Amino acid sequence: MLVGTQDVLLPTTMVGNYPNPRWYDGQAYAVYPKGEFVYDAISREALEDAIGAIVHDQEAAGIDVISDGKVYGGDSPYGQILYHYVERMSGYKLSGPPIGLPIYSTLYAPTCTGEVRREHPFHLATLRAVRKATKKPVKISYTGIQVLAAATNNQYYKETKELALAIAKTFNEDFKELADNGCDIIQVDEFVWPYGMGDWEVEVLNTAMEGAGCQFWVHTCWGNYSGTPGYFPDEEEREFGAWVLDHRPSSAPAPERAQAIFPKVLDANIDALNYEVGRTGPDDLKPLADNDWSKAFVAGVVDVKSTVTETADEVADRIRSVLEFVPAERVGLSTDCGLINLPRMIAAGKLRALADGAALVREELSGTAK
């Protein structure tokens, strides 16, 4: 599989959030500025040290493609998946009712009241910190455009597509800036795709990527909010106006998963599609074959919703199941979602299991297995 400019057999990586070092969270210096850092600021040193620690965990585990870990700061890693971006764009204010996304309804909707433009870089400081810490290929993660559009209390644009196109233009500026500064891969997390794609989502994504000189991967997810699979909240129970997520009925509808994103994703100008298969297995691999998916597929083969660390053999078995549907030269390997809900010690162990499981299958494919 092509990773940046390198051809790597079964490259490994992680998805999205990684547990921050405990010394970082909740501190006054845990700040990601809207503009450039003040030279030699404590906040800059702290951010770079935190990202350096996350990079070290990945390299120590033997991971091939190094991710940023989403060290955005703030009190809520889930809140920052929205607020990090809207705080850096014009036209937004942070107020409104809880948003309508099926598994994120405890968050408050950013309100769009004017023209959306990029005012500050989204992830340039992140890229510089990761690049400083590793010589391996680098992947930087962005919250998806459909996610941001769906989460917005839109009071300015006539329709959601118009809002999404405005957001896409801000992302395009940022994507180009990162590509020009040495980013190998940009990962876009469109975790609402399994709940349904309309007629404009792929067009908007393609607009955002146009002219940016790096690889683009899209990650989509079956649910990981508070470490749980995605179900619609119980309609009956609320607390202070918000859904009570711990009381969802087991009969509540779940995402349609992979079936929901095909065939529309075939028109996305992306280099790789990434979603989980460790828990769900062949049901979510079959759409790849049924729709003649010919690009790279990054399979989530490590379960981040379990505190039990897989063995290398268990990971290898999951990888072999993927190879029944996608040839090895087009397969990458990842965690099935972000590791943010796990203790860092367990997260690091799962990364090691991922790398070791991949090594076992590489040996089999090369004929060197003992």
Side-chain angles (χ1 to χ4, degrees):
M1 177 177 162
L2 192 64
V3 175
T5 59
Q6 304 175 37
D7 194 13
V8 182
L9 180 63
L10 302 181
T12 55
T13 189
M14 71 177 190
V15 172
N17 300 68
Y18 188 80
N20 290 343
R22 284 180 284 188
W23 57 261
Y24 185 78
D25 283 343
Q27 302 298 325
Y29 51 67
V31 176
Y32 194 115
K34 292 181 182 179
E36 288 287 339
F37 281 103
V38 175
Y39 181 73
D40 200 30
I42 294 175
S43 56
R44 178 175 189 163
E45 180 178 331
L47 178 76
E48 291 185 349
D49 286 352
I51 290 176
I54 291 171
V55 170
H56 175 268
D57 281 9
Q58 294 172 76
E59 292 205 329
I63 297 299
D64 300 303
V65 180
I66 303 301
S67 300
D68 57 283
K70 290 190 173 181
V71 185
Y72 295 171
D75 292 332
S76 167
Y78 283 106
Q80 290 306 100
I81 63 178
L82 303 177
Y83 308 149
H84 176 85
Y85 298 91
V86 302
E87 288 171 346
R88 289 160 176 79
M89 293 188 286
S90 67
Y92 270 101
K93 62 180 182 179
L94 289 177
S95 63
I99 66 179
L101 298 183
I103 55 174
Y104 293 88
S105 50
T106 57
L107 302 181
Y108 273 75
T111 300
C112 178
T113 58
E115 183 183 0
V116 171
R117 299 186 312 275
R118 190 185 79 142
E119 292 192 329
H120 304 285
F122 298 148
H123 287 308
L124 184 58
T126 298
L127 172 64
R128 287 173 173 169
V130 180
R131 267 277 162 243
K132 184 177 179 179
T134 186
K135 297 185 183 307
K136 289 187 173 183
V138 167
K139 174 165 66 81
I140 303 296
S141 300
Y142 284 72
T143 298
I145 298 167
Q146 185 186 351
V147 173
L148 287 168
T152 296
N153 177 20
N154 177 21
Q155 296 183 3
Y156 180 78
Y157 292 96
K158 291 181 180 179
E159 56 184 21
T160 304
K161 177 182 177 180
E162 189 179 351
L163 167 65
L165 283 169
I167 296 171
K169 290 177 182 178
T170 72
F171 273 48
N172 184 253
E173 288 182 43
D174 219 67
F175 290 166
K176 288 178 177 177
E177 185 172 53
L178 258 64
D180 290 345
N181 281 271
C183 183
D184 299 291
I185 300 164
I186 289 174
Q187 173 186 299
V188 182
D189 295 333
E190 289 288 9
F191 47 79
V192 297
W193 276 10
Y195 292 93
M197 296 173 67
D199 297 327
W200 53 262
E201 286 84 351
V202 169
E203 175 190 344
V204 165
L205 176 64
N206 289 342
T207 298
M209 297 184 298
E210 187 175 355
C214 62
Q215 284 191 326
F216 283 92
W217 297 6
V218 165
H219 167 71
T220 192
C221 178
W222 312 159
N224 186 29
Y225 189 48
S226 299
T228 61
Y231 294 95
F232 289 120
D234 189 337
E235 293 286 348
E236 300 297 324
E237 195 157 3
R238 297 194 192 188
E239 185 174 290
F240 304 112
W243 304 110
V244 180
L245 295 184
D246 292 337
H247 297 285
R248 288 165 292 179
S250 59
S251 60
E256 293 183 76
R257 304 200 315 241
Q259 294 287 355
I261 67 177
F262 287 98
K264 290 184 178 180
V265 73
L266 298 174
D267 294 325
N269 297 329
I270 59 176
D271 297 280
L273 177 66
N274 165 237
Y275 59 73
E276 63 184 90
V277 297
R279 271 178 175 255
T280 57
D283 284 348
D284 287 315
L285 290 165
K286 196 170 181 294
L288 294 165
D290 290 345
N291 291 275
D292 298 320
W293 181 255
S294 59
K295 299 176 183 178
F297 175 63
V298 182
V301 292
V302 168
D303 185 2
V304 303
K305 290 177 279 292
S306 170
T307 56
V308 177
T309 300
E310 294 87 342
T311 66
D313 286 331
E314 287 172 331
V315 173
D317 282 342
R318 294 172 187 172
I319 297 169
R320 294 183 193 106
S321 71
V322 176
L323 298 183
E324 295 179 15
F325 294 85
V326 184
E329 60 268 21
R330 289 198 282 112
V331 171
L333 305 167
S334 70
T335 56
D336 64 17
C337 197
L339 292 149
I340 188 65
N341 294 305
L342 295 171
R344 184 179 171 193
M345 176 178 65
I346 294 176
K350 283 181 173 281
L351 292 183
R352 170 60 70 181
L354 173 61
D356 288 349
L360 289 176
V361 179
R362 286 192 198 111
E363 290 177 356
E364 295 170 5
L365 294 171
S366 64
T368 61
K370 297 180 180 178

